[in-house]
Amino acid sequence: MRLGVLDVGSNTVHFLVVDAHPGAAPLPAYSHKAELRLAELLDGQGAISEAGVERLVGMIASSLRVAEDKGVVDILPFATSAVREAANGEEVLRRVAEETGVELRVLSGQDEARLTFLAVRRWFGWSSGRLLNLDIGGGSLEIACGLDEQPDAACSLPLGAGRLTARWLPGDVADPEQLRELRRHIRAEIATVVGEIARLGAPDHAVATSKTFKQLARMTGAAPADAGPYADRRLTRSNLAAWLPRLSAMTAAERARIPGVSEGRAKQLLAGALVADAAMDLFGLDELDVCPWALREGIILRRLDAMDGSADRRRPALTP
């Protein structure tokens, strides 16, 4: 069947059309997205601005037209931290429903961590043993660890690259004192969950998901996007640490010229790098494998699992 996943994230609103059926990997068929950066479109009270709401409604309406044109039979719409934490989040959901007919499901931070972990587990398989996954979004950092398809621990921290940039790094070039304060803030936040993860034991396989990690890996020498999803991509802490002083001294325009870094996310790259560096340090990770699947794939897989379960109940029991 052809599904559409409508992902209202803190940076990007992405409508992904996939061909999927139980027991097979979902295959992307068409992508329609816009970088709205909702995490940065907040007023002084923490509400998404009227301009932001109008842009969101317009993007969802255009996604519905894409769904019709591409033969999508069902849409899975969800929103993450930008809407979840906005002061006017309920009003935004109501406006979207009234003006487009789409009822967005707002995921909790732990939901995000669990669904992303499911996608990572399915991608790398059981041979990975105990998985630890890190995901840096626009509004939050998700951390999950476990041996099964459901993690034994799932955490969400307000350390998204967009959120931190808007609050701590408003200038075009980072102020050294603000940078030190941000570094301390990030490490203090991550330290609150290190013990919970450490109690599970050392991970057998440490993984990263999200556009931020993909761009950091590409910046430090990983294969480009056109090498395909099966190319091995890793981020090492040593390479990342070597880049941090350079990123700190760059303008957003200069960062945008780094191979693999998009213009829309260039301003956020430094904050994302600081979060990645702190997480790798505090969790004792020398390197991370970058997984091409993340939250959207996790939602698709969970939906396919539900469909497969219904089919199983209709099948006759096996007989010897």
Side-chain angles (χ1 to χ4, degrees):
M1 65 186 301
R2 180 157 278 196
L3 298 173
V5 184
L6 179 60
D7 175 359
V8 178
S10 299
N11 281 316
T12 304
V13 178
H14 191 175
F15 183 64
L16 180 66
V17 178
V18 297
D19 292 319
H21 63 270
L27 298 176
Y30 189 80
S31 176
H32 174 61
K33 60 184 176 181
E35 287 190 345
L36 302 190
R37 294 192 288 277
L38 295 177
E40 299 177 22
L41 296 176
L42 304 178
D43 61 22
Q45 286 71 48
I48 298 174
S49 66
E50 178 62 24
V53 176
E54 289 179 358
R55 290 170 65 187
L56 174 59
V57 168
M59 178 59 186
I60 292 176
S62 68
S63 297
L64 294 178
R65 293 191 290 272
V66 169
E68 183 177 342
D69 290 344
K70 299 300 179 183
V72 171
V73 298
D74 198 10
I75 296 175
L76 310 177
F78 68 94
T80 56
S81 63
V83 175
R84 180 174 69 237
E85 298 172 12
N88 60 338
E90 291 297 328
E91 171 64 17
V92 172
L93 296 174
R94 184 188 63 78
R95 283 273 301 275
V96 168
E98 288 181 354
E99 297 185 33
T100 69
V102 172
E103 294 188 1
L104 290 172
R105 174 192 174 193
V106 179
L107 299 178
S108 70
Q110 286 190 327
D111 286 339
E112 289 187 56
R114 292 186 186 108
L115 288 164
T116 303
F117 186 87
L118 171 64
V120 171
R121 172 60 76 190
R122 294 282 178 90
W123 182 268
F124 286 111
W126 298 111
S127 62
S128 287
R130 179 177 287 106
L131 276 171
L132 171 63
N133 187 65
L134 307 176
D135 184 291
I136 302 171
S140 57
L141 164 68
E142 272 68 54
I143 304 164
C145 184
L147 284 164
D148 301 323
E149 289 198 335
Q150 288 296 311
D152 298 311
C155 314
S156 180
L157 298 171
L159 296 177
R163 178 201 295 269
L164 296 177
T165 300
R167 179 180 173 188
W168 296 85
L169 302 173
D172 195 30
V173 178
D175 175 80
E177 182 56 34
Q178 287 178 317
L179 204 57
R180 284 191 292 271
E181 291 179 4
L182 175 56
R183 184 178 183 275
R184 286 194 293 267
H185 170 73
I186 290 169
R187 286 170 176 265
E189 285 281 345
I190 295 174
T192 63
V193 301
V194 168
E196 179 181 355
I197 301 298
R199 278 192 290 272
L200 301 175
D204 300 303
H205 193 178
V207 179
T209 48
S210 75
K211 188 71 170 179
T212 294
F213 272 116
K214 289 176 182 177
Q215 292 191 346
L216 292 173
R218 178 71 185 102
M219 177 186 76
T220 57
D226 59 13
Y230 300 110
D232 288 336
R233 294 179 174 89
R234 291 183 179 85
L235 175 66
T236 67
R237 183 159 183 255
S238 59
N239 285 343
L240 178 59
W243 264 92
L244 279 173
R246 298 170 62 183
L247 289 178
S248 302
M250 287 180 174
T251 65
E254 288 170 334
R255 292 176 202 149
R257 291 195 286 270
I258 299 171
V261 177
S262 67
E263 182 178 356
R265 291 176 182 260
K267 186 174 176 62
Q268 302 179 11
L269 189 66
L270 175 57
L274 290 170
V275 174
D277 178 68
M280 294 180 76
D281 183 19
L282 292 171
F283 287 112
L285 306 173
D286 293 327
E287 66 177 25
L288 294 165
D289 280 339
V290 179
C291 180
W293 281 5
L295 178 58
R296 282 185 294 273
E297 288 77 13
I299 286 178
I300 296 165
L301 292 167
R302 179 62 71 226
R303 173 60 183 274
L304 294 176
D305 287 349
M307 292 170 54
D308 198 28
S310 298
D312 285 342
R313 286 191 289 271
R314 294 193 296 269
R315 295 183 187 128
L318 296 176
T319 56

PDB file of all heavy atoms in Angstrom, residues 8-10 38-49 52-53 56 79-93 106-107 139 163:
ATOM      1  N   VAL A   8       5.625  16.918  11.246  1.00  0.00           N
ATOM      2  CA  VAL A   8       5.735  18.333  11.592  1.00  0.00           C
ATOM      3  C   VAL A   8       6.813  18.451  12.658  1.00  0.00           C
ATOM      4  O   VAL A   8       6.555  18.262  13.850  1.00  0.00           O
ATOM      5  CB  VAL A   8       4.388  18.904  12.081  1.00  0.00           C
ATOM      6  CG1 VAL A   8       4.536  20.370  12.491  1.00  0.00           C
ATOM      7  CG2 VAL A   8       3.334  18.763  10.986  1.00  0.00           C
ATOM      8  N   GLY A   9       8.031  18.713  12.223  1.00  0.00           N
ATOM      9  CA  GLY A   9       9.158  18.784  13.136  1.00  0.00           C
ATOM     10  C   GLY A   9       9.506  20.208  13.509  1.00  0.00           C
ATOM     11  O   GLY A   9       8.904  21.176  13.017  1.00  0.00           O
ATOM     12  N   SER A  10      10.495  20.350  14.357  1.00  0.00           N
ATOM     13  CA  SER A  10      10.907  21.678  14.810  1.00  0.00           C
ATOM     14  C   SER A  10      11.623  22.450  13.721  1.00  0.00           C
ATOM     15  O   SER A  10      11.582  23.683  13.704  1.00  0.00           O
ATOM     16  CB  SER A  10      11.814  21.543  16.035  1.00  0.00           C
ATOM     17  OG  SER A  10      11.135  20.928  17.100  1.00  0.00           O
ATOM     18  N   LEU A  38      10.003  25.913  12.918  1.00  0.00           N
ATOM     19  CA  LEU A  38       9.010  26.351  13.897  1.00  0.00           C
ATOM     20  C   LEU A  38       9.636  26.650  15.257  1.00  0.00           C
ATOM     21  O   LEU A  38       9.145  27.501  15.995  1.00  0.00           O
ATOM     22  CB  LEU A  38       7.914  25.282  14.050  1.00  0.00           C
ATOM     23  CG  LEU A  38       7.038  25.031  12.816  1.00  0.00           C
ATOM     24  CD1 LEU A  38       6.057  23.893  13.099  1.00  0.00           C
ATOM     25  CD2 LEU A  38       6.287  26.293  12.415  1.00  0.00           C
ATOM     26  N   ALA A  39      10.701  25.933  15.605  1.00  0.00           N
ATOM     27  CA  ALA A  39      11.354  26.159  16.898  1.00  0.00           C
ATOM     28  C   ALA A  39      11.922  27.570  17.005  1.00  0.00           C
ATOM     29  O   ALA A  39      12.145  28.071  18.109  1.00  0.00           O
ATOM     30  CB  ALA A  39      12.465  25.138  17.114  1.00  0.00           C
ATOM     31  N   GLU A  40      12.138  28.220  15.853  1.00  0.00           N
ATOM     32  CA  GLU A  40      12.677  29.579  15.863  1.00  0.00           C
ATOM     33  C   GLU A  40      11.590  30.625  15.646  1.00  0.00           C
ATOM     34  O   GLU A  40      11.864  31.826  15.733  1.00  0.00           O
ATOM     35  CB  GLU A  40      13.748  29.708  14.780  1.00  0.00           C
ATOM     36  CG  GLU A  40      14.933  28.766  14.971  1.00  0.00           C
ATOM     37  CD  GLU A  40      15.947  28.870  13.848  1.00  0.00           C
ATOM     38  OE1 GLU A  40      15.961  29.912  13.161  1.00  0.00           O
ATOM     39  OE2 GLU A  40      16.723  27.932  13.658  1.00  0.00           O
ATOM     40  N   LEU A  41      10.360  30.187  15.352  1.00  0.00           N
ATOM     41  CA  LEU A  41       9.268  31.127  15.070  1.00  0.00           C
ATOM     42  C   LEU A  41       8.368  31.291  16.286  1.00  0.00           C
ATOM     43  O   LEU A  41       7.142  31.197  16.197  1.00  0.00           O
ATOM     44  CB  LEU A  41       8.456  30.636  13.863  1.00  0.00           C
ATOM     45  CG  LEU A  41       9.205  30.587  12.530  1.00  0.00           C
ATOM     46  CD1 LEU A  41       8.334  29.989  11.441  1.00  0.00           C
ATOM     47  CD2 LEU A  41       9.662  31.989  12.116  1.00  0.00           C
ATOM     48  N   LEU A  42       8.989  31.528  17.438  1.00  0.00           N
ATOM     49  CA  LEU A  42       8.251  31.690  18.681  1.00  0.00           C
ATOM     50  C   LEU A  42       8.272  33.151  19.111  1.00  0.00           C
ATOM     51  O   LEU A  42       9.272  33.851  18.933  1.00  0.00           O
ATOM     52  CB  LEU A  42       8.856  30.819  19.783  1.00  0.00           C
ATOM     53  CG  LEU A  42       8.961  29.318  19.499  1.00  0.00           C
ATOM     54  CD1 LEU A  42       9.629  28.619  20.668  1.00  0.00           C
ATOM     55  CD2 LEU A  42       7.594  28.722  19.225  1.00  0.00           C
ATOM     56  N   ASP A  43       7.150  33.604  19.681  1.00  0.00           N
ATOM     57  CA  ASP A  43       7.132  34.966  20.202  1.00  0.00           C
ATOM     58  C   ASP A  43       7.679  34.990  21.628  1.00  0.00           C
ATOM     59  O   ASP A  43       8.178  33.984  22.137  1.00  0.00           O
ATOM     60  CB  ASP A  43       5.721  35.558  20.131  1.00  0.00           C
ATOM     61  CG  ASP A  43       4.686  34.780  20.958  1.00  0.00           C
ATOM     62  OD1 ASP A  43       5.099  34.057  21.900  1.00  0.00           O
ATOM     63  OD2 ASP A  43       3.485  34.903  20.676  1.00  0.00           O
ATOM     64  N   GLY A  44       7.580  36.139  22.277  1.00  0.00           N
ATOM     65  CA  GLY A  44       8.137  36.282  23.614  1.00  0.00           C
ATOM     66  C   GLY A  44       7.488  35.398  24.650  1.00  0.00           C
ATOM     67  O   GLY A  44       8.070  35.134  25.713  1.00  0.00           O
ATOM     68  N   GLN A  45       6.276  34.910  24.382  1.00  0.00           N
ATOM     69  CA  GLN A  45       5.566  34.025  25.316  1.00  0.00           C
ATOM     70  C   GLN A  45       5.736  32.546  24.985  1.00  0.00           C
ATOM     71  O   GLN A  45       5.102  31.686  25.585  1.00  0.00           O
ATOM     72  CB  GLN A  45       4.066  34.376  25.336  1.00  0.00           C
ATOM     73  CG  GLN A  45       3.725  35.668  26.066  1.00  0.00           C
ATOM     74  CD  GLN A  45       4.185  36.897  25.303  1.00  0.00           C
ATOM     75  OE1 GLN A  45       3.943  37.026  24.104  1.00  0.00           O
ATOM     76  NE2 GLN A  45       4.864  37.806  25.994  1.00  0.00           N
ATOM     77  N   GLY A  46       6.563  32.247  24.002  1.00  0.00           N
ATOM     78  CA  GLY A  46       6.792  30.865  23.638  1.00  0.00           C
ATOM     79  C   GLY A  46       5.729  30.276  22.733  1.00  0.00           C
ATOM     80  O   GLY A  46       5.603  29.050  22.630  1.00  0.00           O
ATOM     81  N   ALA A  47       4.951  31.125  22.075  1.00  0.00           N
ATOM     82  CA  ALA A  47       3.903  30.664  21.157  1.00  0.00           C
ATOM     83  C   ALA A  47       4.405  30.742  19.716  1.00  0.00           C
ATOM     84  O   ALA A  47       5.191  31.625  19.363  1.00  0.00           O
ATOM     85  CB  ALA A  47       2.649  31.516  21.313  1.00  0.00           C
ATOM     86  N   ILE A  48       3.961  29.799  18.888  1.00  0.00           N
ATOM     87  CA  ILE A  48       4.273  29.864  17.463  1.00  0.00           C
ATOM     88  C   ILE A  48       3.555  31.069  16.877  1.00  0.00           C
ATOM     89  O   ILE A  48       2.359  31.266  17.085  1.00  0.00           O
ATOM     90  CB  ILE A  48       3.841  28.572  16.752  1.00  0.00           C
ATOM     91  CG1 ILE A  48       4.609  27.374  17.319  1.00  0.00           C
ATOM     92  CG2 ILE A  48       4.097  28.676  15.250  1.00  0.00           C
ATOM     93  CD1 ILE A  48       4.156  26.032  16.773  1.00  0.00           C
ATOM     94  N   SER A  49       4.277  31.901  16.155  1.00  0.00           N
ATOM     95  CA  SER A  49       3.723  33.141  15.626  1.00  0.00           C
ATOM     96  C   SER A  49       2.623  32.869  14.611  1.00  0.00           C
ATOM     97  O   SER A  49       2.508  31.772  14.046  1.00  0.00           O
ATOM     98  CB  SER A  49       4.821  33.969  14.969  1.00  0.00           C
ATOM     99  OG  SER A  49       5.316  33.305  13.814  1.00  0.00           O
ATOM    100  N   GLY A  52       4.013  31.738  11.454  1.00  0.00           N
ATOM    101  CA  GLY A  52       4.398  30.334  11.510  1.00  0.00           C
ATOM    102  C   GLY A  52       3.211  29.405  11.351  1.00  0.00           C
ATOM    103  O   GLY A  52       3.285  28.395  10.648  1.00  0.00           O
ATOM    104  N   VAL A  53       2.097  29.739  12.007  1.00  0.00           N
ATOM    105  CA  VAL A  53       0.893  28.910  11.899  1.00  0.00           C
ATOM    106  C   VAL A  53       0.382  28.913  10.466  1.00  0.00           C
ATOM    107  O   VAL A  53       0.005  27.866   9.919  1.00  0.00           O
ATOM    108  CB  VAL A  53      -0.186  29.397  12.874  1.00  0.00           C
ATOM    109  CG1 VAL A  53      -1.470  28.581  12.691  1.00  0.00           C
ATOM    110  CG2 VAL A  53       0.294  29.289  14.324  1.00  0.00           C
ATOM    111  N   LEU A  56       2.536  26.753   8.346  1.00  0.00           N
ATOM    112  CA  LEU A  56       2.286  25.344   8.652  1.00  0.00           C
ATOM    113  C   LEU A  56       1.008  24.854   7.983  1.00  0.00           C
ATOM    114  O   LEU A  56       0.990  23.789   7.353  1.00  0.00           O
ATOM    115  CB  LEU A  56       2.205  25.148  10.162  1.00  0.00           C
ATOM    116  CG  LEU A  56       1.804  23.758  10.653  1.00  0.00           C
ATOM    117  CD1 LEU A  56       2.791  22.704  10.162  1.00  0.00           C
ATOM    118  CD2 LEU A  56       1.716  23.728  12.173  1.00  0.00           C
ATOM    119  N   ALA A  79       3.292  15.379  15.075  1.00  0.00           N
ATOM    120  CA  ALA A  79       4.081  16.572  15.391  1.00  0.00           C
ATOM    121  C   ALA A  79       4.976  16.269  16.577  1.00  0.00           C
ATOM    122  O   ALA A  79       4.643  15.437  17.428  1.00  0.00           O
ATOM    123  CB  ALA A  79       3.165  17.752  15.706  1.00  0.00           C
ATOM    124  N   THR A  80       6.114  16.967  16.635  1.00  0.00           N
ATOM    125  CA  THR A  80       7.077  16.712  17.700  1.00  0.00           C
ATOM    126  C   THR A  80       7.217  17.947  18.591  1.00  0.00           C
ATOM    127  O   THR A  80       6.249  18.640  18.849  1.00  0.00           O
ATOM    128  CB  THR A  80       8.419  16.261  17.102  1.00  0.00           C
ATOM    129  OG1 THR A  80       8.899  17.247  16.170  1.00  0.00           O
ATOM    130  CG2 THR A  80       8.260  14.927  16.379  1.00  0.00           C
ATOM    131  N   SER A  81       8.413  18.237  19.063  1.00  0.00           N
ATOM    132  CA  SER A  81       8.562  19.167  20.184  1.00  0.00           C
ATOM    133  C   SER A  81       8.123  20.595  19.902  1.00  0.00           C
ATOM    134  O   SER A  81       7.674  21.291  20.814  1.00  0.00           O
ATOM    135  CB  SER A  81      10.023  19.176  20.668  1.00  0.00           C
ATOM    136  OG  SER A  81      10.878  19.646  19.663  1.00  0.00           O
ATOM    137  N   ALA A  82       8.236  21.087  18.656  1.00  0.00           N
ATOM    138  CA  ALA A  82       7.870  22.481  18.391  1.00  0.00           C
ATOM    139  C   ALA A  82       6.411  22.734  18.733  1.00  0.00           C
ATOM    140  O   ALA A  82       6.063  23.734  19.372  1.00  0.00           O
ATOM    141  CB  ALA A  82       8.141  22.824  16.928  1.00  0.00           C
ATOM    142  N   VAL A  83       5.528  21.833  18.325  1.00  0.00           N
ATOM    143  CA  VAL A  83       4.101  21.976  18.633  1.00  0.00           C
ATOM    144  C   VAL A  83       3.821  21.521  20.054  1.00  0.00           C
ATOM    145  O   VAL A  83       3.036  22.136  20.777  1.00  0.00           O
ATOM    146  CB  VAL A  83       3.249  21.184  17.622  1.00  0.00           C
ATOM    147  CG1 VAL A  83       1.772  21.222  18.012  1.00  0.00           C
ATOM    148  CG2 VAL A  83       3.445  21.732  16.215  1.00  0.00           C
ATOM    149  N   ARG A  84       4.478  20.451  20.483  1.00  0.00           N
ATOM    150  CA  ARG A  84       4.249  19.895  21.819  1.00  0.00           C
ATOM    151  C   ARG A  84       4.512  20.929  22.914  1.00  0.00           C
ATOM    152  O   ARG A  84       3.785  21.001  23.902  1.00  0.00           O
ATOM    153  CB  ARG A  84       5.155  18.678  22.005  1.00  0.00           C
ATOM    154  CG  ARG A  84       5.042  17.995  23.349  1.00  0.00           C
ATOM    155  CD  ARG A  84       5.856  16.715  23.390  1.00  0.00           C
ATOM    156  NE  ARG A  84       7.290  16.901  23.373  1.00  0.00           N
ATOM    157  CZ  ARG A  84       8.120  16.373  22.476  1.00  0.00           C
ATOM    158  NH1 ARG A  84       7.665  15.622  21.502  1.00  0.00           N
ATOM    159  NH2 ARG A  84       9.425  16.589  22.544  1.00  0.00           N
ATOM    160  N   GLU A  85       5.533  21.733  22.730  1.00  0.00           N
ATOM    161  CA  GLU A  85       5.956  22.647  23.788  1.00  0.00           C
ATOM    162  C   GLU A  85       5.557  24.091  23.546  1.00  0.00           C
ATOM    163  O   GLU A  85       5.823  24.955  24.393  1.00  0.00           O
ATOM    164  CB  GLU A  85       7.470  22.539  23.971  1.00  0.00           C
ATOM    165  CG  GLU A  85       7.895  21.140  24.405  1.00  0.00           C
ATOM    166  CD  GLU A  85       9.400  20.960  24.401  1.00  0.00           C
ATOM    167  OE1 GLU A  85      10.115  21.971  24.294  1.00  0.00           O
ATOM    168  OE2 GLU A  85       9.846  19.801  24.499  1.00  0.00           O
ATOM    169  N   ALA A  86       4.934  24.376  22.427  1.00  0.00           N
ATOM    170  CA  ALA A  86       4.511  25.755  22.156  1.00  0.00           C
ATOM    171  C   ALA A  86       3.397  26.168  23.121  1.00  0.00           C
ATOM    172  O   ALA A  86       2.518  25.361  23.458  1.00  0.00           O
ATOM    173  CB  ALA A  86       4.026  25.883  20.716  1.00  0.00           C
ATOM    174  N   ALA A  87       3.428  27.419  23.551  1.00  0.00           N
ATOM    175  CA  ALA A  87       2.410  27.916  24.471  1.00  0.00           C
ATOM    176  C   ALA A  87       1.016  27.844  23.855  1.00  0.00           C
ATOM    177  O   ALA A  87       0.019  27.700  24.576  1.00  0.00           O
ATOM    178  CB  ALA A  87       2.739  29.348  24.879  1.00  0.00           C
ATOM    179  N   ASN A  88       0.947  27.945  22.544  1.00  0.00           N
ATOM    180  CA  ASN A  88      -0.351  27.880  21.852  1.00  0.00           C
ATOM    181  C   ASN A  88      -0.509  26.584  21.070  1.00  0.00           C
ATOM    182  O   ASN A  88      -1.185  26.542  20.038  1.00  0.00           O
ATOM    183  CB  ASN A  88      -0.516  29.074  20.912  1.00  0.00           C
ATOM    184  CG  ASN A  88       0.572  29.123  19.827  1.00  0.00           C
ATOM    185  OD1 ASN A  88       1.656  28.548  19.992  1.00  0.00           O
ATOM    186  ND2 ASN A  88       0.289  29.812  18.745  1.00  0.00           N
ATOM    187  N   GLY A  89       0.106  25.510  21.566  1.00  0.00           N
ATOM    188  CA  GLY A  89       0.059  24.245  20.841  1.00  0.00           C
ATOM    189  C   GLY A  89      -1.341  23.749  20.563  1.00  0.00           C
ATOM    190  O   GLY A  89      -1.646  23.295  19.447  1.00  0.00           O
ATOM    191  N   GLU A  90      -2.224  23.818  21.536  1.00  0.00           N
ATOM    192  CA  GLU A  90      -3.608  23.360  21.334  1.00  0.00           C
ATOM    193  C   GLU A  90      -4.306  24.193  20.275  1.00  0.00           C
ATOM    194  O   GLU A  90      -5.056  23.660  19.447  1.00  0.00           O
ATOM    195  CB  GLU A  90      -4.372  23.421  22.659  1.00  0.00           C
ATOM    196  CG  GLU A  90      -3.919  22.412  23.709  1.00  0.00           C
ATOM    197  CD  GLU A  90      -4.144  20.986  23.261  1.00  0.00           C
ATOM    198  OE1 GLU A  90      -5.122  20.738  22.521  1.00  0.00           O
ATOM    199  OE2 GLU A  90      -3.330  20.112  23.631  1.00  0.00           O
ATOM    200  N   GLU A  91      -4.060  25.483  20.264  1.00  0.00           N
ATOM    201  CA  GLU A  91      -4.664  26.350  19.258  1.00  0.00           C
ATOM    202  C   GLU A  91      -4.128  26.019  17.868  1.00  0.00           C
ATOM    203  O   GLU A  91      -4.870  25.999  16.879  1.00  0.00           O
ATOM    204  CB  GLU A  91      -4.370  27.816  19.597  1.00  0.00           C
ATOM    205  CG  GLU A  91      -4.749  28.816  18.523  1.00  0.00           C
ATOM    206  CD  GLU A  91      -6.241  28.879  18.228  1.00  0.00           C
ATOM    207  OE1 GLU A  91      -7.038  28.381  19.057  1.00  0.00           O
ATOM    208  OE2 GLU A  91      -6.617  29.414  17.168  1.00  0.00           O
ATOM    209  N   VAL A  92      -2.838  25.726  17.764  1.00  0.00           N
ATOM    210  CA  VAL A  92      -2.247  25.343  16.487  1.00  0.00           C
ATOM    211  C   VAL A  92      -2.893  24.061  15.970  1.00  0.00           C
ATOM    212  O   VAL A  92      -3.267  23.970  14.787  1.00  0.00           O
ATOM    213  CB  VAL A  92      -0.722  25.166  16.619  1.00  0.00           C
ATOM    214  CG1 VAL A  92      -0.133  24.565  15.343  1.00  0.00           C
ATOM    215  CG2 VAL A  92      -0.053  26.494  16.936  1.00  0.00           C
ATOM    216  N   LEU A  93      -3.068  23.083  16.836  1.00  0.00           N
ATOM    217  CA  LEU A  93      -3.709  21.825  16.432  1.00  0.00           C
ATOM    218  C   LEU A  93      -5.133  22.067  15.961  1.00  0.00           C
ATOM    219  O   LEU A  93      -5.590  21.471  14.971  1.00  0.00           O
ATOM    220  CB  LEU A  93      -3.692  20.840  17.603  1.00  0.00           C
ATOM    221  CG  LEU A  93      -2.324  20.362  18.087  1.00  0.00           C
ATOM    222  CD1 LEU A  93      -2.475  19.503  19.332  1.00  0.00           C
ATOM    223  CD2 LEU A  93      -1.600  19.585  16.996  1.00  0.00           C
ATOM    224  N   VAL A 106       0.323  14.447  18.473  1.00  0.00           N
ATOM    225  CA  VAL A 106       1.505  15.029  19.106  1.00  0.00           C
ATOM    226  C   VAL A 106       2.233  13.938  19.895  1.00  0.00           C
ATOM    227  O   VAL A 106       1.674  13.363  20.834  1.00  0.00           O
ATOM    228  CB  VAL A 106       1.119  16.194  20.035  1.00  0.00           C
ATOM    229  CG1 VAL A 106       2.373  16.776  20.694  1.00  0.00           C
ATOM    230  CG2 VAL A 106       0.396  17.285  19.241  1.00  0.00           C
ATOM    231  N   LEU A 107       3.454  13.659  19.500  1.00  0.00           N
ATOM    232  CA  LEU A 107       4.245  12.629  20.160  1.00  0.00           C
ATOM    233  C   LEU A 107       4.947  13.215  21.384  1.00  0.00           C
ATOM    234  O   LEU A 107       5.447  14.332  21.351  1.00  0.00           O
ATOM    235  CB  LEU A 107       5.302  12.074  19.215  1.00  0.00           C
ATOM    236  CG  LEU A 107       4.822  11.404  17.931  1.00  0.00           C
ATOM    237  CD1 LEU A 107       6.024  10.961  17.106  1.00  0.00           C
ATOM    238  CD2 LEU A 107       3.923  10.227  18.230  1.00  0.00           C
ATOM    239  N   GLY A 139      14.203  20.665  18.265  1.00  0.00           N
ATOM    240  CA  GLY A 139      13.769  21.077  19.586  1.00  0.00           C
ATOM    241  C   GLY A 139      14.288  20.240  20.724  1.00  0.00           C
ATOM    242  O   GLY A 139      14.315  20.701  21.869  1.00  0.00           O
ATOM    243  N   ARG A 163      16.433  25.054  18.954  1.00  0.00           N
ATOM    244  CA  ARG A 163      16.095  25.676  20.230  1.00  0.00           C
ATOM    245  C   ARG A 163      17.328  26.345  20.861  1.00  0.00           C
ATOM    246  O   ARG A 163      17.270  27.490  21.323  1.00  0.00           O
ATOM    247  CB  ARG A 163      15.544  24.618  21.190  1.00  0.00           C
ATOM    248  CG  ARG A 163      15.194  25.139  22.580  1.00  0.00           C
ATOM    249  CD  ARG A 163      15.172  24.000  23.581  1.00  0.00           C
ATOM    250  NE  ARG A 163      14.121  23.035  23.297  1.00  0.00           N
ATOM    251  CZ  ARG A 163      12.897  23.105  23.802  1.00  0.00           C
ATOM    252  NH1 ARG A 163      12.563  24.065  24.629  1.00  0.00           N
ATOM    253  NH2 ARG A 163      12.006  22.179  23.498  1.00  0.00           N
TER     254      ARG A 163
END
